[in-house]
Amino acid sequence: MNSSYAVPAVALVVVATVLVGAFGLRISRTTSDFYVASRTVGPRLNAAAISGEYLSAASFLGIAGLVLVQGPDMLWYPVGYTAGYLVLLLFVAAPLRRSGAYTLPDFAEARLASHAVRRLAGAFVVGVGWLYLLPQLQGAGLTLTVLTGAPDSLGGLIVAVVVVATVAAGGMRSITFVQAFQYWLKLTALLVPALFLVLAWQSDGTPRHAFEEPATFREQRTVRVDETLDLRLDHPLTVTVNGTVDSRHHTAAKLQLPAGTHHIERGTRLTFAQGATVPVADRGTNGGMSTSLAASREERPLYATYGLILATFLGTMGLPHVVVRFYTSPHGVAARRTTVAVLGLIGAFYLLPPVYGALGRLYTPELTLTGDADAAVLLLPDRMIGGVGGDLLGALVAGGAFAAFLSTASGLTMAVAGVLTQDVLPSRGVRHFRLGTVLAMAVPLVASVLVGGLPVADAVGLAFAVSASSFCPLLVLGIWWTRLTPPGAAAGMLVGGGSAFVAVTATMAGFPGTGPLHALLAWPALWSVPLGFLTMVLVSLATPGRVPTGTAAILARFHLPEELRTEVKA
């Protein structure tokens, strides 16, 4: 990709983000402005802002990479991401707004009158937020590396600086305008190039059934293997090798590799002839999907699919950067209207990444070997169109990708900073909120440098599993069940969310490699979510004397429309 166009596009997005945030700063005056924009954000603006922060690196880059490597089964990701808002609309949106809280820990304390449950909820908000922030920073690093060859950490550092400046300066009021602007930028950045790419595909004579056949190289291509991997060949393959294959070093040697598995060392260059079938990378690489998740999907595809569906369907309602936006709605009806609008906006967006994944299978198949499948969206304009037109479309995509990192990172930083300010720092003023903003970004920024490049959609999917196992039971039972007690809520969050977090940690560490236990850990939502609900219910039933006084009145406030509640008070 020609960086002479892409780098200015990224710089323009960064400058526009700062300027839009500065507009929000001008009208941000009070503490309520910083935390919830004084609860005055209308449905249309709020829906665009929610969509802007929700469509993250996983949506912009990761889904296309997963479709490229794993095929159409990965379409469950965008389906789940969208359907999660339907569950949120039915069970959570309006009551959550009527709770009057600023954050999820605020909701927990308002519902259960327990500081211990509040602190526990705050810990999970910070954990989920940091787990979700990590792939945003990694995705930014990947984008800048593809564009300029810069170190992986530079893109994440740029995102961190811009986000901290925007959030610390204007809080929720600023990022509302920023995220709404960035949603429309992201949609444009994928839609316009997609139209040209589809036209180019239709005009180049590629057979319509090409997607149903094994991926092949459309031209001679040299692939550099950045991480050691195993190639699994179903048929013999002729390839030119510069490097080490099966423990033997070769220099510009043309080899006939027999069917079977061949070990390729890091740094080896493989040159494939035009028309050669793209070999399958055994999970020594993380192209498109991590080693651990891909292996479990191959072993138990049905279980993995159901685990993914449950995590994405139920995890949305507990994502801290999504939930906090519903507190900015003027009332419960506006919160529901906002959710309906969000369904339409993100549904329209999610039609596009699978197109890039499918085209990437034809035009960038080598990414399945290099471990950079997430870069397919960035490389396709140059690969399919080329010239100045391809460079300009690539620049538009690159700008949209950075908008994705900035908008989601802004929402996550806002949510985590709010919890740190409310529950960790000694004061709750605007000054300490700004300090909390710095702390909220510092930890994932350091982790993004230390941790290897787990594919962005994978990392986000794991965050969904933890969210679904901890906050989904708390919100559903807290809103709809009168007998929930503080010990029950705490036990359910610890058992459900804690077990999911342990499973996530084991998965990211690659333990264990295979077998039934591996699948259970790689896709934990299928057992950790029911475990969280069951624990919360059983412990609550075992501690009936701990039901908070005034629970009936609290639930009435959650469910009665604001106008009716005013009349009752009168």
Side-chain angles (χ1 to χ4, degrees):
M1 180 183 292
N2 190 341
S3 60
S4 61
Y5 292 95
V7 172
V10 170
L12 186 61
V13 169
V14 172
V15 171
T17 297
V18 173
L19 293 177
V20 174
F23 173 76
L25 172 62
R26 292 179 60 189
I27 58 176
S28 184
R29 295 287 182 267
T30 66
T31 300
S32 182
D33 278 332
F34 270 81
Y35 286 120
V36 290
S38 294
R39 307 189 195 275
T40 58
V41 183
R44 286 184 292 182
L45 177 60
N46 212 7
I50 290 174
S51 301
E53 71 178 351
Y54 188 63
L55 298 172
S56 63
S59 300
F60 202 93
L61 300 179
I63 290 174
L66 288 173
V67 171
L68 165 61
V69 177
Q70 299 291 321
D73 284 350
M74 295 297 98
L75 294 179
W76 279 114
Y77 272 95
V79 169
Y81 291 156
T82 306
Y85 276 94
L86 182 60
V87 179
L88 193 150
L89 170 65
L90 294 175
F91 296 107
V92 173
L96 191 63
R97 165 59 189 90
R98 295 184 188 121
S99 70
Y102 284 101
T103 62
L104 275 170
D106 281 344
F107 168 83
E109 184 175 30
R111 171 63 177 84
L112 297 165
S114 169
H115 289 290
V117 176
R118 178 194 178 95
R119 287 193 294 270
L120 182 60
F124 273 100
V125 166
V126 173
V128 171
W130 281 344
L131 190 62
Y132 212 135
L133 266 169
L134 180 61
Q136 312 311 315
L137 301 176
Q138 289 181 336
L142 169 67
T143 299
L144 206 62
T145 299
V146 170
L147 296 178
T148 66
D152 290 344
S153 58
L154 181 58
L157 180 62
I158 293 173
V159 167
V161 171
V162 174
V163 166
V164 168
T166 303
V167 174
M172 182 63 79
R173 184 71 76 179
S174 282
I175 68 170
T176 295
F177 295 109
V178 167
Q179 290 167 342
F181 157 73
Q182 287 170 337
Y183 167 77
W184 295 108
L185 174 60
K186 284 184 282 189
L187 183 64
T188 303
L190 279 190
L191 178 59
V192 173
L195 295 176
F196 285 95
L197 295 178
V198 170
L199 290 174
W201 166 64
Q202 288 183 329
S203 63
D204 74 354
T206 301
R208 296 297 180 265
H209 56 78
F211 295 105
E212 303 172 5
E213 298 176 350
T216 59
F217 291 98
R218 299 172 57 84
E219 58 187 23
Q220 178 177 301
R221 186 161 299 280
T222 299
V223 177
R224 185 180 188 277
V225 177
D226 292 327
E227 298 293 338
T228 299
L229 57 81
D230 293 328
L231 292 185
R232 188 172 70 241
L233 302 181
D234 296 327
H235 305 284
L237 175 68
T238 300
V239 62
T240 301
V241 178
N242 274 287
T244 304
V245 175
D246 295 333
S247 301
R248 297 184 62 182
H249 186 77
H250 303 274
T251 302
K254 192 171 185 178
L255 302 181
Q256 176 81 18
L257 300 178
T261 301
H262 300 274
H263 187 71
I264 314 297
E265 291 292 341
R266 177 180 180 178
T268 299
R269 293 181 181 272
L270 305 175
T271 301
F272 297 90
Q274 180 180 1
T277 300
V278 180
V280 176
D282 271 353
R283 296 301 126 186
T285 178
N286 61 3
M289 179 170 279
S290 67
T291 299
S292 193
L293 294 188
S296 65
R297 174 167 288 281
E298 292 172 358
E299 291 175 359
R300 288 168 176 79
L302 187 61
Y303 176 84
T305 298
Y306 284 131
L308 169 63
I309 290 172
L310 195 64
T312 52
F313 275 39
L314 301 182
T316 301
M317 71 174 66
L319 295 178
H321 63 305
V322 171
V323 171
V324 73
R325 292 226 59 94
F326 285 92
Y327 300 136
T328 67
S329 295
H331 43 71
V333 173
R336 282 202 174 101
R337 290 174 178 168
T338 296
T339 311
V340 172
V342 169
L343 280 167
L345 293 178
I346 64 175
F349 180 91
Y350 278 133
L351 295 174
L352 300 173
V355 173
Y356 285 83
L359 293 174
R361 176 180 169 81
L362 298 179
Y363 295 93
T364 58
E366 75 279 1
L367 296 180
T368 62
L369 306 180
T370 63
D372 294 327
D374 291 332
V377 173
L378 302 170
L379 297 177
L380 277 171
D382 179 65
R383 190 69 56 85
M384 293 181 65
I385 297 174
V388 176
D391 290 339
L392 291 175
L393 292 175
L396 180 59
V397 171
F402 248 77
F405 312 139
L406 290 169
S407 58
T408 301
S410 296
L412 289 164
T413 304
M414 178 75 212
V416 174
V419 171
L420 292 176
T421 306
Q422 295 283 324
D423 299 305
V424 177
L425 298 178
S427 174
R428 299 186 178 186
V430 171
R431 177 186 173 190
H432 286 83
F433 171 81
R434 288 169 173 158
L435 176 60
T437 301
V438 176
L439 295 177
M441 181 57 76
V443 172
L445 179 61
V446 172
S448 70
V449 176
L450 300 178
V451 177
L454 184 70
V456 292
D458 278 358
V460 168
L462 295 174
F464 269 78
V466 176
S467 171
S469 305
S470 54
F471 290 122
C472 175
L474 175 68
L475 288 169
V476 172
L477 295 179
I479 289 172
W480 296 97
W481 193 43
T482 60
R483 301 175 69 179
L484 181 67
T485 66
M493 292 179 66
L494 281 173
V495 173
S499 61
F501 188 79
V502 170
V504 164
T505 303
T507 299
M508 296 179 73
F511 174 83
T514 58
L517 179 60
H518 171 64
L520 289 173
L521 294 177
W523 308 93
L526 211 55
W527 54 268
S528 59
V529 172
L531 186 61
F533 271 101
L534 182 63
T535 302
M536 209 169 280
V537 169
L538 292 179
V539 175
S540 293
L541 292 177
T543 56
R546 299 291 301 277
V547 174
T549 57
T551 294
I554 292 173
L555 292 184
R557 186 172 83 243
F558 289 175
H559 295 286
L560 289 177
E562 284 80 0
E563 298 84 357
L564 183 57
R565 284 161 47 193
T566 303
E567 293 175 6
V568 171
K569 289 179 181 178

